[in-house]
Amino acid sequence: MGGVNRTRTTSGGPAGANLGVVRSHNTALVLGLLRAAGAEGISRLELAERTGLTPQAVSKITARLRESGLAAEAGRRASTGGKPRTVLRLVPEAGHAVGVHLDRDELRVVLVDLDGTVVGERRGELDLGAGAEAVLGAVGDVAEGLVTAVLGRAGGESSAGAGGAPSAGAGGESSARVGGEPHAGAGAGAGAGGEVGARGLPRIPSLLGVGVALPGPLDHAQGVLHRVTGFPEWDGFPLRDALAERLGVPVVVDKDTNAAALGLSVAGAEGGAGGSFAYLHLGTGLGAGLVLGGGVHRGARTGAGEFGHQVLQLDGPRCECGNRGCVEVLCLAAVAAGETAEAARVLGVAAGNLVGLLDIDVVLLGGRTVAGAPEAYARGVGEVLDARARREGTAGGPVPVRVAERGERVVAEGAAQLLLAPLFGRADG
């Protein structure tokens, strides 16, 4: 939570929320309950009952949250005795986070509020192999353009409409392009050298920072990339620190699948309350995000979830990771050949191995390739798991298979939750 406390101040325009007020576990618990209560809000007495804190402690915390702009009154509620209780609610527009999905050939950036609602989005082409300067420059250009369009500069010139909705220009596709051509349109006067990134993001008090999700493997704790499959030149690159210096805000980095799993768990997908699920992401590559016991499982060395590189065929085609017959290379070959049913079958076999190993509650599917034929992939993977459950006589029947909600934005939204989740007491954020 250290990054959450590093807020910027500015002269002119709205004062914005003082996010530094969120400095304790108890405050995070209260904020989490305020968010869960939604627009209807929650009373101080209920907050005390659910957190185990004394009413006096809750009153002090909520007073600080109201003073900082993070909480507000939501009316009064009838009481079983005595005077009506004042109800409090979260103020979603008091804080924002940028979520970045760096795919191998595409950049997607979203801006979300404290509720996790997307208030702006931009997309652009990307070549992850174009080099660090080009990639970081593109992230800076697109992120700055989006934040400026929705929130304005220094919090004083927002193009958002009433209620925080973005203007027409805040979302949609950016013409940003990486790989030797200028990033036209993503930032005023920005060139391939990343001039906008060097200036940093607008100094807006409500902006917590930037969450970045991309293919692994990588060190989530240090924000350092390892040998990203297909792009070994990124090995050892300190992406978190390089972006933080360029953008001027806190940055968190994680694998795309971990970010998606976190976002789905926060949004209430299975596993959010002590359960477990596997999110399988099939796009330009294949990976898994694991939620075990209600929290994202990254492993002792942050290397969990390299699902795509389990070997299914010892003498199979060579994978970019160096092995032969990985589920990723087999699955992507079927996709390239237009054999969706075969791709789903291969994915199902690998999913069956995962289910057998971890005994998870549900399998969620996502990614660009799945989005192209969601019913076919859900059916194909489900059939393999059904057959396995019948053979093994699994108690309770087969593990359900569903397409994850939130579509192709699932990774970018999850990347934003890397900043937001700790604010609300999620230790796995």
Side-chain angles (χ1 to χ4, degrees):
M1 291 239 317
V4 171
N5 295 334
R6 287 179 284 170
T7 57
R8 293 173 175 268
T9 56
T10 182
S11 59
N18 174 20
L19 294 170
V21 73
V22 188
R23 58 179 177 265
S24 74
H25 174 66
N26 290 339
T27 303
L29 288 179
V30 170
L31 266 179
L33 289 172
L34 287 172
R35 181 171 66 170
E40 293 183 1
I42 186 171
S43 70
R44 292 178 180 84
L45 180 59
E46 290 171 308
L47 288 170
E49 291 172 347
R50 297 186 190 183
T51 60
L53 299 172
T54 65
Q56 293 82 0
V58 168
S59 292
K60 289 181 180 179
I61 291 171
T62 54
R64 288 199 302 267
L65 292 176
R66 289 184 61 189
E67 183 180 356
S68 70
L70 289 165
E73 287 191 8
R76 293 182 179 272
R77 183 180 299 162
S79 173
T80 54
K83 62 181 181 180
R85 299 172 184 169
T86 300
V87 178
L88 301 174
R89 65 173 179 85
L90 181 71
V91 179
E93 61 271 23
H96 297 87
V98 175
V100 176
H101 180 192
L102 279 177
D103 208 345
R104 293 170 174 85
D105 61 358
E106 182 181 78
L107 169 67
R108 185 186 295 265
V109 181
V110 298
L111 182 70
V112 307
D113 64 17
L114 291 180
D115 265 342
T117 301
V118 175
V119 297
E121 176 182 10
R122 287 191 174 181
R123 295 172 56 191
E125 295 180 6
L126 178 78
D127 177 5
L128 197 57
E133 267 305 304
V135 172
L136 268 62
V139 172
D141 291 353
V142 178
E144 195 223 22
L146 177 59
V147 170
T148 300
V150 179
L151 302 179
R153 290 191 176 277
E157 298 177 8
S158 173
S159 60
S167 67
E173 292 197 12
S174 163
S175 58
R177 193 173 175 84
V178 186
E181 299 182 26
H183 314 312
E195 295 173 1
V196 167
R199 291 199 303 269
L201 294 180
R203 298 192 174 192
I204 297 173
S206 71
L207 188 60
L208 280 77
V210 176
V212 182
L214 71 162
L218 55 82
D219 184 339
H220 142 269
Q222 300 298 321
V224 175
L225 306 188
H226 294 320
R227 296 179 65 84
V228 177
T229 305
F231 300 90
E233 64 272 20
W234 283 99
D235 189 20
F237 186 79
L239 180 62
R240 182 192 65 190
D241 293 347
L243 266 179
E245 181 178 359
R246 185 174 291 252
L247 300 178
V249 296
V251 173
V252 181
V253 173
D254 206 344
K255 287 200 300 189
D256 46 11
T257 49
N258 288 342
L262 174 64
L264 290 167
S265 181
V266 168
E270 292 85 353
S276 62
F277 68 83
Y279 168 73
L280 307 184
H281 186 92
L282 179 59
T284 57
L286 174 61
L290 305 174
V291 170
L292 306 179
V296 177
H297 177 72
R298 296 183 175 90
R301 290 166 293 278
T302 74
E306 288 301 312
F307 171 82
H309 300 295
Q310 56 176 299
V311 175
L312 297 186
Q313 184 180 341
L314 291 176
D315 59 349
R318 186 171 295 280
C319 179
E320 289 187 342
C321 74
N323 289 328
R324 288 189 176 275
C326 290
V327 59
E328 178 175 294
V329 70
L330 297 174
C331 198
L332 292 180
V335 171
E339 299 172 354
T340 302
E342 174 63 10
R345 186 186 72 83
V346 172
L347 184 58
V349 171
N353 292 341
L354 189 61
V355 169
L357 182 66
L358 298 177
D359 192 23
I360 55 178
D361 298 323
V362 64
V363 171
L364 301 178
L365 306 178
R368 190 190 316 171
T369 301
V370 169
E375 294 181 1
Y377 279 99
R379 180 175 60 252
V381 173
E383 288 173 353
V384 175
L385 295 186
D386 287 353
R388 178 171 179 147
R390 287 195 300 271
R391 289 195 308 271
E392 298 176 351
T394 305
V399 171
V401 178
R402 289 191 275 277
V403 175
E405 296 181 357
R406 318 192 93 73
E408 294 185 49
R409 287 197 315 213
V410 64
V411 173
E413 290 188 44
Q417 287 296 337
L418 295 171
L419 273 299
L420 295 180
L423 190 69
F424 297 98
R426 288 281 303 232
D428 58 335

